[in-house]
Amino acid sequence: EPPTRPCRVEVSRDCYQTASFIVDPRQEKALPRVTLQLQRHSVPIVTNPLGAEVREGGVKRGMTPLVIELGCGGTDITVSKPCFKTQTVMLDPARPVTLRPISLVPETFPLIVRTIPPGVDVHVRGASKGKTPLDLELGCGEVEIQLSKGECFEPKSVRVRPENREP
C-alpha cells in the first residue's frame, strides 16, 4: 500500500553529498530535480621545514603550509624544496587521518678527497673530517674545505659547490 503521509527521500552516491527532499503523495506534482554536489575535502599540507612547493598532477598548488581541496579518491602530491629530496605523498580523503608534517630529507652529495701526499687533515666548516684519502657527504650549497699537514706544508682552502645531478 503506498504511503499516505509526506516522507523524506534521500538520494546518495559514492563521492557525492547526500541530497534530500520531501514527497507528499497527496499532491500530484513532479518529483524535484536533484543535483548531487561532489564531495570536497580540505587537506592541510605542512612540511618541516616550511616553504616547500606542492604540486598535484604536475600543477603547482602552492607553498607549505597550505590547505588543498580534494574530491573523492586519492591523489599523489609532490613536495619539493631546494637542497632537499623531492617526495611524493599519497593523499586519500576516504581514509581520514591527521596528516603529520612531511619531514623533508636534506640532499647530500658525495665528495672524494685525495691528496699527494696522502694523510692530509681535512676540515669542513671548522670540523675535522679525517685524513686523506677520504670520502665525504656534503650538503647543498658552497662549502669551504681546509687542508693541512703539519708545519712543512702550507694550509690550503678549496671551495666546493655540489650541483644537483639526475640519477
Side-chain angles (χ1 to χ4, degrees):
E1 187 170 310
T4 58
R5 295 182 309 164
C7 58
R8 177 180 297 276
V9 175
E10 288 190 350
V11 179
S12 64
R13 182 176 179 187
D14 285 346
C15 300
Y16 290 87
Q17 294 175 356
T18 299
S20 64
F21 55 93
I22 304 293
V23 174
D24 188 345
R26 298 171 293 192
Q27 296 178 358
E28 290 188 27
K29 61 180 185 179
L31 292 177
R33 181 183 178 110
V34 177
T35 302
L36 297 179
Q37 299 294 318
L38 186 64
Q39 285 182 337
R40 305 295 292 169
H41 301 275
S42 296
V43 180
I45 309 294
V46 178
T47 57
N48 182 15
L50 298 174
E53 179 180 87
V54 176
R55 290 184 172 268
E56 179 189 8
V59 177
K60 183 177 176 179
R61 297 293 299 268
M63 306 294 278
T64 62
L66 81 152
V67 175
I68 61 174
E69 295 291 321
L70 296 179
C72 187
T75 188
D76 287 335
I77 61 164
T78 303
V79 181
S80 61
K81 182 176 177 99
C83 298
F84 292 87
K85 294 180 180 178
T86 297
Q87 295 185 41
T88 300
V89 178
M90 171 65 169
L91 299 179
D92 186 356
R95 302 169 84 194
V97 297
T98 301
L99 190 63
R100 294 189 183 125
I102 300 166
S103 293
L104 301 178
V105 178
E107 188 81 61
T108 60
F109 301 89
L111 178 67
I112 301 169
V113 182
R114 307 278 185 257
T115 59
I116 299 175
V120 171
D121 292 314
V122 178
H123 288 77
V124 177
R125 295 185 181 99
S128 176
K129 296 297 181 181
K131 296 184 181 290
T132 62
L134 187 62
D135 293 344
L136 299 173
E137 288 288 323
L138 299 178
C140 189
E142 188 172 273
V143 177
E144 185 173 338
I145 299 173
Q146 294 89 29
L147 305 169
S148 62
K149 182 171 172 122
E151 296 177 10
C152 297
F153 295 91
E154 186 174 328
K156 189 166 246 188
S157 290
V158 178
R159 291 194 180 275
V160 177
R161 179 183 267 309
E163 297 294 330
N164 287 332
R165 296 182 308 256
E166 294 297 317

